[in-house]
Amino acid sequence: MELYVDSANLKEIRHAASMGIISGVTTNPSLLAKEDPNQDIKTLLLDIHASVGGHLSVEVVSTDTAGMLREAEEILKWAPEATIKIPMIADGLAAVKELNRQDIPTNVTLIFSATQALAAANAGATYVSVFLGRLDDIGADGVQVVRDVAEIWDMNDLDALIIAASIRHPIHVMECAKAGAHISTVPYKVLMQCIKHPLTDSGLQAFLNDYNKMQSEKEKLGTK
Ligand code: E4P
């Protein structure tokens, strides 16, 4: 399962990219709204893409098909490698169908059920983003939806890539990998939690302490 970072914060994204653990970035209007309002969004998104390469999802904000298609055309002028992120609504599916006809990659967002994922795949989506954390937030089982989607994909040999989105903690990442998601888009904080373990930190500290102890012994014996 590939990892993307779910963020619009350049510092976080650059750090995640420097570790070589991510192969793309997903953004959305809420993530962009958390950043400096004086920042030019196009420049920010291009800097993000230059820092990571790979996948970059850029979301439209129109809610009608014609508006989404206009926005997609505009986005692709300044970010030709972008994947167009389209909301899971009827007009969105019509936009996905048309973009697919033009060979333009799409990521259908705000998917909360297996039937929504199936509809998006049939419309021609390149990626389907299942928002499991928001399902957990309302007391439903988000990972089960990812499992259901992956099972349907296997049985029907569907091409769209399953993105596990709205990740809240490392266990979500592990469960989505086991469930068969192709990609997990993970907030920076959770990525950092995924790579850390207290036993790694204490183990490293013990190795360094022992190494330093050995060095001082050698210095004392003049055998350094
Ligand atoms: C994914 O594409 C979305 O940007 C994201 O995962 C939404 O997550 P949230 O529920 O934390 O807002």
Side-chain angles (χ1 to χ4, degrees):
M1 183 179 75
E2 282 183 57
L3 298 173
Y4 293 171
V5 61
D6 195 28
S7 171
N9 183 284
L10 195 53
K11 200 169 152 225
E12 291 178 353
I13 292 169
R14 283 191 172 142
H15 185 230
S18 74
M19 294 184 287
I21 59 176
I22 54 162
S23 49
V25 181
T26 52
T27 60
N28 65 38
S30 305
L31 290 170
L32 287 165
K34 285 188 199 160
E35 301 307 311
D36 179 358
N38 296 315
Q39 216 165 358
D40 175 59
I41 288 182
K42 287 182 195 171
T43 310
L44 173 62
L45 289 168
L46 288 173
D47 284 348
I48 287 173
H49 190 46
S51 307
V52 182
H55 178 101
L56 175 72
S57 275
V58 181
E59 188 156 345
V60 298
V61 288
S62 301
T63 52
D64 64 298
T65 307
M68 290 182 205
L69 293 175
R70 264 196 309 276
E71 274 189 72
E73 198 183 338
E74 172 55 27
I75 292 167
L76 292 167
K77 275 187 201 150
W78 54 268
E81 288 169 29
T83 292
I84 308 299
K85 210 170 176 189
I86 305 270
M88 177 60 217
I89 54 177
D91 273 61
L93 293 177
V96 167
K97 179 185 172 209
E98 174 54 22
L99 292 170
N100 181 47
R101 196 189 62 76
Q102 297 176 31
D103 270 335
I104 294 169
T106 53
N107 173 3
V108 176
T109 188
L110 291 165
I111 290 182
F112 294 93
S113 72
T115 49
Q116 286 183 312
L118 182 61
N122 283 346
T126 321
Y127 301 87
V128 294
S129 285
V130 180
F131 274 43
L132 63 126
R134 292 192 193 189
L135 282 164
D136 286 9
D137 292 346
I138 59 159
D141 185 350
V143 174
Q144 186 54 48
V145 176
V146 177
R147 245 179 246 124
D148 291 341
V149 172
E151 190 181 336
I152 292 167
W153 257 232
D154 276 352
M155 295 186 82
N156 293 273
D157 216 10
L158 295 172
D159 289 333
L161 295 171
I162 304 164
I163 302 185
S166 183
I167 296 285
R168 298 280 184 261
H169 47 69
I171 293 172
H172 271 162
V173 179
M174 186 264 291
E175 285 179 335
C176 288
K178 282 168 64 183
H182 300 106
I183 299 148
S184 193
T185 188
V186 185
Y188 174 77
K189 184 178 152 225
V190 180
L191 275 180
M192 294 310 289
Q193 289 173 331
C194 285
I195 66 159
K196 273 190 89 73
H197 197 286
L199 290 177
T200 306
D201 295 341
S202 59
L204 176 60
Q205 197 51 57
F207 286 154
L208 296 178
N209 292 346
D210 289 341
Y211 176 80
N212 289 332
K213 210 160 73 187
M214 179 179 72
Q215 287 302 100
S216 4
E217 299 284 319
K218 283 186 175 180
E219 266 169 37
K220 263 192 243 157
L221 295 169
T223 57
K224 194 180 171 190

